[in-house]
Amino acid sequence: HWSIVGIEADLKSDALMMAFITRVTNIALGLLLFVPARGFVVSPALSSNSRISSKPLKQSFFDFFTKTEAIEEVGISKSTDPDYPQNFTGRLCFLPSLVKVPESGPGSSVNLISLFGYSLGGTVALEYDTSPVGPYREYVTMASLVAKNGIGQWGSRLYVSTQKAEDVCKEIWGVPAELANIDFVEGRNTRNGSLMVTSLPNPDAPTRDVQNIQVEGWQETRIQSELDDPKRGPCIPAYWTPTIKALWAPLVFNINSHSDETLALHKLRISASAVRLRWTGFQRDVEKDDFSDPKYNLGIPIPIGLAVDNVLIEIGTRRENGL
């Protein structure tokens, strides 16, 4: 016998017990499903760190708890294709220029391509909204066109804005990445609103130094808002050799078996919602006091750059044979 508020109820009957439990459960579920709650939404950041918005969220108390896992995973990309286990989304720009060919190349029997001592180089700046390690920024100094059983472009230095990104580059892909303070400035009052590098890394600085890098006119990469249909277009194939930071055209010949000079080779798939040509100006040198101008310049600028928004970069598994 149980006594509830002075009223004794005989709960010996299984049927009565089940009816009581069912009634209480229905009341509890009704409260969870229909009582609105205010929550917080973690949104993909425009910078290297996630932001929390205090915008009210019309959801039930029950929904808030069921979505906790999704909120925690914002900014972490997960691939559903086992052949391309890592992927990155965001936006990028390529600011091309003619640069003097370096005195030495990346090694591994890779030849530098030049004409009258110059080659196609420039800067690639990327802002990842999602990646295997969350949002971060990346800046690559492109040093020259290269050749080895195919044609590609070599990046001499690669900088990332978070420690996690630096760690995964080194540990997973063998990329000699460097940690840096990378700032992408938005606003129409920045050098006429053009995309341009306004603070360059010192090419002679030790890799352990944390340098300051800045690209202005970043609003020119945000194109998706102009589109009626933000769906991505077809994939463009490419190859990637991470240890020398080189991107290769999809036509690669005579892929080698493993040897001392064989480069680890990965397939890439690249797709995007929008690609635009952007005016980047004729800026050549950026003033800096801590090292000389000849080492701190952008080469001979090609004043038309490339902006790509809502890009998806998918990295394939390492091929059995390398380059």
Side-chain angles (χ1 to χ4, degrees):
H1 290 74
W2 286 28
S3 178
I4 302 176
V5 195
I7 300 176
E8 293 187 353
D10 188 356
L11 298 180
K12 292 182 179 179
S13 168
D14 292 338
L16 185 58
M17 172 68 80
M18 292 302 299
F20 177 78
I21 293 173
T22 301
R23 182 64 175 168
V24 172
T25 302
N26 287 342
I27 293 172
L29 286 175
L31 289 172
L32 291 173
L33 290 170
F34 296 106
V35 175
R38 294 175 67 90
F40 295 92
V41 181
V42 179
S43 58
L46 300 181
S47 67
S48 59
N49 299 314
S50 294
R51 276 202 302 240
I52 295 182
S53 167
S54 59
K55 181 180 178 181
L57 181 65
K58 283 192 174 181
Q59 62 176 16
S60 71
F61 191 69
F62 179 76
D63 289 336
F64 180 80
F65 282 103
T66 59
K67 294 179 181 179
T68 300
E69 181 178 355
I71 290 174
E72 293 176 348
E73 293 297 322
V74 166
I76 305 295
S77 62
K78 294 182 179 179
S79 174
T80 57
D81 188 340
D83 293 331
Y84 292 85
Q86 284 90 27
N87 63 63
F88 303 73
T89 66
R91 61 207 52 82
L92 64 86
C93 72
F94 173 48
L95 309 178
S97 61
L98 298 177
V99 296
K100 288 186 177 181
V101 175
E103 294 180 0
S104 60
S108 299
S109 300
V110 175
N111 299 311
L112 303 180
I113 300 175
S114 65
L115 180 64
F116 303 117
Y118 283 83
S119 187
L120 179 64
T123 297
V124 176
L126 308 99
E127 181 179 41
Y128 296 123
D129 296 330
T130 68
S131 82
V133 293
Y136 72 94
R137 291 168 173 168
E138 183 173 305
Y139 179 99
V140 188
T141 301
M142 307 307 294
S144 176
L145 293 178
V146 290
K148 183 181 181 182
N149 300 324
I151 296 177
Q153 193 175 33
W154 163 48
S156 58
R157 302 285 285 266
L158 183 147
Y159 304 88
V160 294
S161 61
T162 69
Q163 186 63 58
K164 286 185 178 180
E166 182 188 17
D167 293 342
V168 77
C169 284
K170 292 179 178 179
E171 296 169 8
I172 303 299
W173 297 302
V175 178
E178 303 170 48
L179 187 64
N181 298 316
I182 303 175
D183 190 17
F184 295 158
V185 181
E186 301 190 29
R188 298 292 173 182
N189 60 341
T190 57
R191 306 286 182 98
N192 298 321
S194 299
L195 268 170
M196 60 176 60
V197 181
T198 52
S199 180
L200 282 150
N202 181 348
D204 293 333
T207 57
R208 64 180 178 275
D209 288 0
V210 178
Q211 303 197 59
N212 297 316
I213 300 171
Q214 181 172 283
V215 178
E216 293 191 2
W218 194 250
Q219 72 281 351
E220 296 298 311
T221 66
R222 299 189 184 279
I223 312 165
Q224 188 175 352
S225 60
E226 304 173 4
L227 306 176
D228 295 330
D229 185 2
K231 290 182 180 179
R232 295 187 179 95
C235 294
I236 298 174
Y239 283 105
W240 183 47
T241 49
T243 54
I244 65 166
K245 306 174 292 298
L247 195 65
W248 302 83
L251 296 177
V252 175
F253 306 98
N254 299 323
I255 294 178
N256 302 315
S257 60
H258 294 292
S259 69
D260 292 340
E261 295 200 345
T262 297
L263 294 169
L265 187 65
H266 295 255
K267 275 189 173 182
L268 288 188
R269 292 192 308 207
I270 305 171
S271 57
S273 294
V275 180
R276 297 286 189 275
L277 295 176
R278 295 302 198 204
W279 177 258
T280 58
F282 291 96
Q283 175 199 25
R284 179 171 181 175
D285 296 311
V286 180
E287 292 184 1
K288 195 78 173 177
D289 295 332
D290 56 359
F291 49 94
S292 60
D293 285 343
K295 297 179 181 178
Y296 193 70
N297 66 75
L298 299 170
I300 302 172
I302 299 173
I304 302 295
L306 199 64
V308 184
D309 198 9
N310 194 29
V311 66
L312 170 63
I313 302 172
E314 300 172 275
I315 302 178
T317 56
R318 178 174 174 172
R319 293 177 61 91
E320 182 177 352
N321 294 327
L323 183 64

